[in-house]
C-alpha cells in the first residue's frame, strides 16, 4: 500500500479571502495557481500546481484511501482512517471496568434495541433474537459503568443480564445462539441454531465472575466456571475449541466447518478466561490463558497485512484459497485496544505489535523491500 501525506493549506489568494489586517501591513506576494490534470492511482482528478507544489482535492484522496473527512470544533479539517480515538489499556484490573466498556453504549449499535425484559434484542432480515454475544457485552457495559460511577441504575441493569445468563445457560455451560448463521455468505460453511460462540462464552464467563466478586453470590461464580465448558470442548464435539496447526488452542467466535479464526472474538474470549482465572482462583482457567498466549505468539503475524490487520484467517485456512479479509478500521482499532490489554496483563509481551498496529491507523504502513 502506498503512503500519502495530506497537506491542507489555506491559500486565500486563490479563493479571494478578505483580510482584517490594518492598512499599511505588508502582504505576501500573490500566489499563482495553474490547473493541471492529475492521475491519482490511475484515475484522473483535477489538480492545482502552485510553484513546486501540487494540490489535489482531499475528497478524491479520501475516497481512494478509505479516509473519513470531518471538521472538528476547532475548525480543523481532518482526514483519518478512523475518527474515534483508539482506547489503550495501560492497566487491566479484573475487578475494574472491562477494557473500554465504561465508555460503550451498546444501545447505539446497529440492529440493537432493549426489550421489555431489559435484555438487548438484535433485529436481522431473518428475524429478531436475543443474541448471547451482544447480551454479554451489554452486561459488561453496565458492570463497567457501575464500578466506575457507583450508580445503582447500572448495577440493576448488570444484574438483569446476569439473571438472564443464569436462566439461559444450558447443561453444557453454554448460551446457544438461536439462529442459523452463514459466515461470509457460506465461505466457511453453515452453522445451525444451537451453536455456541467462543466470544459469548469468554465474555459471559468473565462478566459472571465479576458479578460474583462484586456481590458474593455463589450462583454467579458457579455459572462462570460452567461457561468455560464449551471453550474446553472441541468444535467437532459441539464446542468452540480448535487446534490451530494441530497444536495451538483457539476459541472460535464462529465454529464453522472451515476454521475462520476471527481475531477480535478470540481476544475477547482470551481476556475473559484470564479474568475468570484471577477472580475465581481457577487453575484450569489460568492454564487455558497461558496456552492461549502461546497461540497468539504463533498466529498474530498471520493477521498483519503490513498496513492494517485482517479480520479472520480464511485466506489461510480455506481451500481453495480466498483473498484476505481486511478488517474495517473500527475493528482494526479494536484489535489494538484488545492487544493493549493483553500487553498490560503480560508486562509488555506484545508491545512491538501493539505499537506497529497503532501506527497503521496513522498511515504508517511498513516499507517495501
Amino acid at each position: 500500500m502506498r503512503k500519502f501525506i495530506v497537506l491542507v493549506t489555506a491559500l486565500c489568494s486563490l479563493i479571494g479571502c478578505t483580510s482584517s489586517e490594518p492598512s499599511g501591513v505588508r502582504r505576501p506576494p500573490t500566489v499563482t495557481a495553474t490547473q493541471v490534470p492529475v492521475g491519482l492511482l490511475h484515475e484522473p482528478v483535477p489538480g492545482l500546481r502552485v510553484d513546486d507544489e501540487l494540490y489535489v482535492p482531499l475528497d478524491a484522496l479520501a475516497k481512494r484511501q478509505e479516509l473519513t473527512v470531518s471538521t472538528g470544533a476547532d475548525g480543523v479539517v481532518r482526514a483519518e482512517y478512523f475518527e474515534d480515538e483508539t482506547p489503550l489499556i495501560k492497566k487491566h484490573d479484573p475487578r475494574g471496568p472491562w477494557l473500554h466498556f465504561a465508555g460503550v453504549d451498546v444501545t447505539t449499535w446497529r440492529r440493537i434495541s432493549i426489550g421489555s425484559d431489559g435484555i438487548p434484542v438484535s433485529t436481522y432480515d431473518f428475524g429478531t433474537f436475543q443474541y448471547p454475544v451482544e447480551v454479554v457485552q451489554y452486561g459488561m457495559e453496565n458492570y463497567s459503568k457501575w464500578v466506575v460511577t457507583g450508580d445503582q441504575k447500572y448495577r440493576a441493569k448488570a444484574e438483569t443480564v446476569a439473571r438472564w445468563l443464569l436462566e439461559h445457560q444450558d447443561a453444557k455451560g453454554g448460551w446457544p445462539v438461536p439462529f442459523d448463521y452463514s459466515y461470509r455468505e457460506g465461505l466457511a460453511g453453515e452453522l445451525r441454531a444451537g451453536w455456541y460462540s467462543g466470544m459469548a462464552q469468554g465474555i459471559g464467563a468473565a462478566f459472571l465472575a465479576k458479578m460474583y466478586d462484586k456481590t458474593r453470590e455463589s450462583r454467579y461464580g458457579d455459572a462462570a466456571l460452567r461457561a468455560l465448558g464449551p471453550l474446553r470442548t472441541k468444535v467437532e464435539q459441539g464446542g468452540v475449541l480448535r487446534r490451530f496447526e494441530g497444536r495451538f488452542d483457539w476459541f472460535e467466535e464462529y465454529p464453522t466447518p472451515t476454521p475462520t479464526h476471527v481475531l477480535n472474538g478470540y481476544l475477547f474470549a482470551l481476556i475473559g478466561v484470564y479474568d475468570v482465572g484471577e477472580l475465581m482462583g481457577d487453575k484450569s482457567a489460568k492454564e487455558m490463558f497461558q496456552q492461549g498466549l502461546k497461540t497468539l505468539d504463533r498466529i498474530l503475524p498471520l493477521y498483519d497485512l503490513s498496513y492494517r490487520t485482517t479480520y479472520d484467517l480464511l485466506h489461510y485456512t480455506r481451500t481453495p484459497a480466498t483473498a484476505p479479509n481486511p478488517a474495517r478500521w473500527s475493528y482494526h482499532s479494536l484489535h489494538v485496544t484488545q492487544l493493549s490489554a493483553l500487553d498490560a496483563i503480560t508486562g509488555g509481551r506484545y508491545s512491538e505489535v501493539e505499537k506497529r498496529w497503532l501506527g497503521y491507523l496513522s498511515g504508517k504502513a511498513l516499507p517495501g523491500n
Side-chain angles (χ1 to χ4, degrees):
M1 176 182 177
R2 297 175 176 85
K3 300 179 185 177
F4 292 92
I5 299 176
V6 179
L7 178 62
V8 180
T9 305
L11 297 174
C12 281
S13 59
L14 295 180
I15 59 175
C17 296
T18 59
S19 173
S20 59
E21 295 175 351
S23 59
V25 175
R26 184 176 181 181
R27 302 188 179 205
T30 301
V31 177
T32 301
T34 305
Q35 291 187 352
V36 294
V38 175
L40 179 62
L41 297 176
H42 306 291
E43 292 189 29
V45 298
L48 288 178
R49 183 178 296 282
V50 181
D51 295 331
D52 294 330
E53 294 182 331
L54 184 64
Y55 297 85
V56 296
L58 183 56
D59 288 345
L61 187 59
K63 177 181 177 182
R64 288 156 181 79
Q65 294 300 306
E66 298 182 52
L67 299 170
T68 298
V69 178
S70 62
T71 303
D74 54 4
V76 176
V77 178
R78 293 178 172 85
E80 299 164 310
Y81 288 125
F82 186 57
E83 289 185 80
D84 298 333
E85 290 292 326
T86 296
L88 298 179
I89 311 303
K90 300 300 183 182
K91 180 182 178 181
H92 180 81
D93 179 4
R95 292 180 169 85
W98 206 60
L99 304 181
H100 59 300
F101 272 61
V104 165
D105 184 353
V106 170
T107 65
T108 66
W109 293 358
R110 184 167 57 97
R111 298 190 305 260
I112 293 181
S113 59
I114 304 301
S116 59
D117 59 355
I119 299 299
V121 291
S122 306
T123 301
Y124 303 88
D125 56 5
F126 51 85
T128 298
F129 306 91
Q130 292 177 323
Y131 183 25
V133 168
E134 289 165 347
V135 173
V136 296
Q137 290 184 89
Y138 184 64
M140 276 299 196
E141 173 200 330
N142 285 288
Y143 171 86
S144 299
K145 291 176 177 177
W146 173 28
V147 298
V148 167
T149 68
D151 192 328
Q152 292 301 300
K153 72 180 181 184
Y154 296 122
R155 173 177 182 164
K157 292 179 180 180
E159 289 181 328
T160 295
V161 173
R163 288 192 297 270
W164 186 93
L165 291 174
L166 294 181
E167 293 167 3
H168 290 79
Q169 189 176 44
D170 67 14
K172 296 179 181 179
W175 294 288
V177 177
F179 52 81
D180 296 347
Y181 187 68
S182 176
Y183 183 80
R184 290 182 61 186
E185 299 183 348
L187 280 177
E190 306 291 329
L191 289 171
R192 298 303 176 193
W195 56 279
Y196 302 130
S197 168
M199 180 172 163
Q201 296 301 134
I203 298 177
F207 169 68
L208 289 170
K210 290 172 182 290
M211 292 298 291
Y212 163 73
D213 183 75
K214 192 75 170 170
T215 67
R216 308 315 294 179
E217 291 194 37
S218 60
R219 57 180 183 158
Y220 294 150
D222 294 342
L225 294 175
R226 287 197 302 271
L228 299 181
L231 297 173
R232 298 192 186 101
T233 304
K234 293 180 181 179
V235 169
E236 295 79 9
Q237 298 170 354
V240 300
L241 177 66
R242 270 213 165 94
R243 299 282 287 173
F244 179 73
E245 295 182 340
R247 56 199 177 105
F248 297 105
D249 290 349
W250 180 272
F251 312 127
E252 288 279 27
E253 179 178 353
Y254 303 105
T256 45
T258 299
T260 54
H261 299 313
V262 173
L263 182 57
N264 83 88
Y266 176 77
L267 295 177
F268 272 137
L270 186 61
I271 297 168
V273 167
Y274 171 79
D275 283 355
V276 173
E278 295 300 306
L279 293 172
M280 303 301 299
D282 188 73
K283 292 182 179 180
S284 175
K286 291 181 179 182
E287 177 58 26
M288 290 169 67
F289 177 71
Q290 291 302 321
Q291 292 299 320
L293 294 179
K294 293 178 182 178
T295 300
L296 274 190
D297 293 343
R298 164 67 187 104
I299 206 169
L300 274 181
L302 301 180
Y303 291 90
D304 197 324
L305 299 179
S306 82
Y307 72 100
R308 73 202 290 176
T309 47
T310 183
Y311 183 81
D312 58 35
L313 285 188
L314 270 181
H315 61 286
Y316 184 85
T317 62
R318 186 176 182 271
T319 302
T322 185
N325 182 23
R328 293 198 302 266
W329 286 109
S330 58
Y331 274 111
H332 177 83
S333 176
L334 176 59
H335 292 162
V336 174
T337 297
Q338 293 172 312
L339 205 58
S340 73
L342 287 168
D343 207 36
I345 291 169
T346 61
R349 185 167 180 156
Y350 303 106
S351 58
E352 288 301 314
V353 181
E354 177 193 339
K355 180 180 178 181
R356 184 167 69 247
W357 288 8
L358 183 62
Y360 293 165
L361 285 161
S362 300
K364 298 175 183 177
L366 297 182
N369 58 16

